[in-house]
Amino acid sequence: MPLNNNLARNLEVELPLQSPVAVPKETPIHNPLPRKSGITKVEKLLCGALLSIVFALIAISISLEISIASTNRALQDTNSSIATITTINDNLEQEVQELSRYDRVYKIANSQGLKMNEANVRNVTK
């Protein structure tokens, strides 16, 4: 009966007896002491100095920007006043040229009773 050969068989196997395994005593693990804060007094001092330097540089930068802005404003005001005065001077110079025309001077002299005397005239050149 070869077909019956593939049935499970009940085999007795001898297992060696083992003694219970002794649990080793737990050895205390060396835990290092917890460290204090990683920031020392010197590092705090350096951070404070760095922050104060940064704050001083920011304050200086802002004050310089304000100074530059006020100087630019003063320059613009000065340029504006120069342009105004130049315009006024040009207008006055033109008025002087109009008032000192020869025919106008001659007309005023005649109305005042003055006469032309060539002997008393001197030519002045600029």
Side-chain angles (χ1 to χ4, degrees), residues 43-54:
E43 290 172 341
K44 288 180 183 178
L45 181 66
L46 287 175
C47 287
L50 181 66
L51 287 175
S52 63
I53 289 172
V54 168

Side-chain angles (χ1 to χ4, degrees), residues 76-91:
Q76 288 174 352
D77 291 342
T78 304
N79 285 340
S80 174
S81 67
I82 287 172
T84 304
I85 291 172
T86 302
T87 304
I88 292 171
N89 284 344
D90 289 342
N91 291 340

Side-chain angles (χ1 to χ4, degrees), residues 2-126:
L3 292 176
N4 288 338
N5 283 342
N6 62 356
L7 295 175
R9 296 185 193 158
N10 192 4
L11 297 176
E12 290 185 25
V13 178
E14 287 186 32
L15 293 175
L17 292 175
Q18 295 180 353
S19 64
V21 177
V23 177
K25 292 182 181 178
E26 290 185 23
T27 58
I29 298 173
H30 177 66
N31 291 333
L33 294 175
R35 280 191 152 188
K36 292 183 181 179
S37 175
I39 300 174
T40 63
K41 290 181 181 179
V42 175
E43 290 172 341
K44 288 180 183 178
L45 181 66
L46 287 175
C47 287
L50 181 66
L51 287 175
S52 63
I53 289 172
V54 168
F55 179 74
L57 288 176
I58 289 172
I60 290 170
S61 173
I62 290 172
S63 67
L64 286 176
E65 288 292 328
I66 292 171
S67 173
I68 289 171
S70 64
T71 304
N72 282 338
R73 179 65 183 163
L75 178 66
Q76 288 174 352
D77 291 342
T78 304
N79 285 340
S80 174
S81 67
I82 287 172
T84 304
I85 291 172
T86 302
T87 304
I88 292 171
N89 284 344
D90 289 342
N91 291 340
L92 291 175
E93 202 171 309
Q94 184 179 1
E95 188 177 344
V96 166
Q97 292 295 326
E98 289 175 3
L99 293 176
S100 65
R101 284 190 340 242
Y102 178 76
D103 58 340
R104 180 178 179 275
V105 173
Y106 189 71
K107 184 177 178 182
I108 293 174
N110 281 337
S111 69
Q112 295 294 323
L114 300 174
K115 295 184 180 179
M116 182 69 148
N117 187 354
E118 294 289 333
N120 291 336
V121 174
R122 292 186 184 173
N123 289 329
V124 178
T125 58
K126 292 184 182 181

